[in-house]
Amino acid sequence: MMRLPKFTYRTPRTIAEAVRIIADTGPEAQFVAGGTDLYPNMKRRQQTPKTVISVKRLPELNQVNGDGRSGITIGASVTLTDIVEHPIIKRDYPVIAAAARTISTPILRNMGTIGGNLLLDTRCNYYDQNYEWRKAINFCLKKDGDICWVAPGSSKCWAVQSSDLVPVMVAIGARFRLLSTLGERVVEAAGFYHDDGIDYLQKRPDELLVDIHLPPANGWRASYQKLRRRGAFDFPVLGVAAYIRDEAAHSGATITDAKIVLGGIAPAPIQVDAAAQALIGKSLDEDRIQAAAEAAYVKARPLDNTDFVYQWRKQMARQYTLRALRELM
Ligand SMILES: Cc1cc2nc3c(=O)[nH]c(=O)nc-3n(C[C@H](O)[C@H](O)[C@H](O)COP(=O)(O)OP(=O)(O)OC[C@H]3O[C@@H](n4cnc5c(N)ncnc54)[C@H](O)[C@@H]3O)c2cc1C
Ligand code: SF4
């Protein structure tokens, strides 16, 4: 049985208290929300904070405000189950509810939060193992070692960004509000993820993710398609988010903006600009969809560090882009 290491558990009741604790405790501290990612990582000694600061009881982080007309703000500690079942999110942002529904299992969704999902650690077959397994291969760059077993000549870690909500947030233009004792800042989801499996977030460890802002829901549609081995639960090994804005918000109208975002195949979500260009200025028909899917196939370069044969996952980038766009027709 894998046991948690010893740590001090803090339960602040206000945002000010939470950011003060992490500022005072320094790099040995880490926030936790549902713990469905952090605690397994701690058991495997991938992350070993001496102080864990719960953000579950911070009232501001548990609220959902607004609607599709004004835009909606979702607190970082809102659970995935609440996202899936929220009447306004279901009505005005069905792509968010649908993507959240594909995450892990109902029990984990009861604990897991939207904030924890957007800040999920990157994943790799050589890293998501217990301590003894990793020790037997002399560890790897991401933790305790000095070689990448996926690309041994590389000085970079290629662990994979594996959240289902991240590609959707990038596609629809979400913004994240971060707070620390040094102040507040709002960042675009699109620029928030680094293409580096170790330094994968544009966020300092002392910054609290307070909430997520989704833009007004008029004039655009989006969909999400997820590849995984088991339909009941599994991380994505490819996720395709498709977003289109068209003049009359119906099929046949001219597309004025489009995004195709690939998740689950690289340290950061990948925006396929050539796919967007294939769609913008046209109406959504089968020819355009095929062109965009081909661009996604060309851009996708999965590595051999998660489930399935990576060449096949590349092929699936085309198929899943087809599916995502056809759903929007
Ligand atoms: C068996 C299993 C299957 C899974 N399947 C999937 C899946 O299919 N798709 C998927 O996307 N995920 C999956 N997950 C991962 C995880 O359950 C979800 O991503 C979940 O949403 C994580 O949320 P959490 O609140 O539990 O995060 P936590 O574990 O609490 O935190 C995750 C990270 O975020 C940080 N953090 C959390 N909240 C804040 C905050 N407000 N401010 C700053 N930092 C914060 C923590 O320090 C930690 O680094 C799976 C997990 C398991 C164990
Ligand atoms: S990509 Fe390389 S460095 Fe990163 S976790 Fe995997 S083996 Fe380790």
Side-chain angles (χ1 to χ4, degrees):
M1 183 207 287
M2 288 193 291
R3 292 184 189 281
L4 280 169
K6 285 198 172 145
F7 61 93
T8 303
Y9 186 66
R10 305 286 300 271
T11 54
R13 299 304 169 115
T14 65
I15 288 183
E17 190 188 350
V19 295
R20 169 55 53 203
I21 294 173
I22 203 153
D24 290 347
T25 326
E28 301 251 287
Q30 208 169 331
F31 291 121
V32 70
T36 63
D37 185 49
L38 181 63
Y39 291 141
N41 287 357
M42 288 173 67
K43 288 182 178 177
R44 294 188 289 251
R45 305 312 191 252
Q46 294 157 320
Q47 288 165 310
T48 49
K50 298 275 184 297
T51 302
V52 172
I53 305 160
S54 172
V55 299
K56 271 292 238 195
R57 297 183 197 179
L58 303 176
E60 297 92 329
L61 272 67
N62 283 288
Q63 295 172 5
V64 179
N65 292 308
D67 60 22
R69 273 195 293 178
S70 58
I72 200 166
T73 301
I74 306 173
S77 293
V78 173
T79 67
L80 297 169
T81 298
D82 286 342
I83 302 274
V84 171
E85 293 176 355
H86 196 281
I88 293 172
I89 296 176
K90 275 201 307 195
R91 184 193 66 197
D92 296 346
Y93 299 91
V95 65
I96 298 290
R101 189 190 293 280
T102 70
I103 296 172
S104 53
T105 67
I107 292 169
L108 286 162
R109 289 198 293 273
N110 288 343
M111 287 302 292
T113 64
I114 182 169
N117 185 258
L118 298 175
L119 303 176
L120 196 63
D121 194 7
T122 51
R123 297 180 60 79
C124 170
N125 286 342
Y126 295 91
Y127 173 70
D128 294 307
Q129 306 288 348
N130 64 35
Y131 181 84
E132 288 71 24
W133 193 104
R134 291 187 294 115
K135 189 176 175 198
I137 61 163
N138 209 15
F139 303 102
C140 77
L141 272 183
K142 185 158 160 70
K143 174 80 175 138
D144 299 329
D146 54 14
I147 188 169
C148 171
W149 294 107
V150 175
S154 171
S155 57
K156 171 182 156 181
C157 166
W158 297 87
V160 175
Q161 197 289 311
S162 303
S163 152
D164 284 299
L165 285 174
V166 165
V168 182
M169 293 291 174
V170 173
I172 70 173
R175 283 179 287 140
F176 305 154
R177 185 158 67 105
L178 304 168
L179 191 87
S180 73
T181 52
L182 302 178
E184 180 182 302
R185 63 189 181 116
V186 175
V187 295
E188 301 282 335
F192 189 63
Y193 300 93
H194 293 161
D195 190 28
D196 180 328
I198 297 171
D199 180 21
Y200 51 91
L201 294 177
Q202 197 228 84
K203 178 184 108 50
R204 297 192 315 272
D206 65 321
E207 285 181 306
L208 176 74
L209 173 62
V210 178
D211 50 38
I212 297 100
H213 182 75
L214 310 185
N218 54 319
W220 57 267
R221 291 166 281 149
S223 71
Y224 177 68
Q225 295 290 326
K226 170 175 180 172
L227 174 67
R228 56 179 160 178
R229 185 173 291 270
R230 296 167 293 187
F233 84 104
D234 257 335
F235 283 89
V237 290
L238 167 71
V240 178
Y243 159 98
I244 61 166
R245 177 178 284 280
D246 48 27
E247 280 164 356
H250 62 71
S251 55
T254 302
I255 297 170
T256 56
D257 192 14
K259 291 194 195 91
I260 299 293
V261 183
L262 308 177
I265 56 170
I270 297 171
Q271 287 202 52
V272 188
D273 293 338
Q277 292 314 316
L279 297 166
I280 293 171
K282 329 275 183 342
S283 60
L284 193 63
D285 60 24
E286 190 57 28
D287 284 351
R288 293 296 96 211
I289 289 176
Q290 293 283 350
E294 196 56 30
Y297 165 75
V298 170
K299 184 87 179 177
R301 291 201 181 87
L303 287 169
D304 190 13
N305 60 348
T306 61
D307 199 6
F308 292 132
V309 175
Y310 67 98
Q311 296 94 334
W312 184 74
R313 283 162 62 217
K314 179 174 171 67
Q315 300 278 346
M316 287 302 104
R318 181 193 285 123
Q319 295 307 321
Y320 278 58
T321 305
L322 288 174
R323 284 189 197 177
L325 284 169
R326 282 178 186 151
E327 199 176 290
L328 299 181
M329 268 181 105

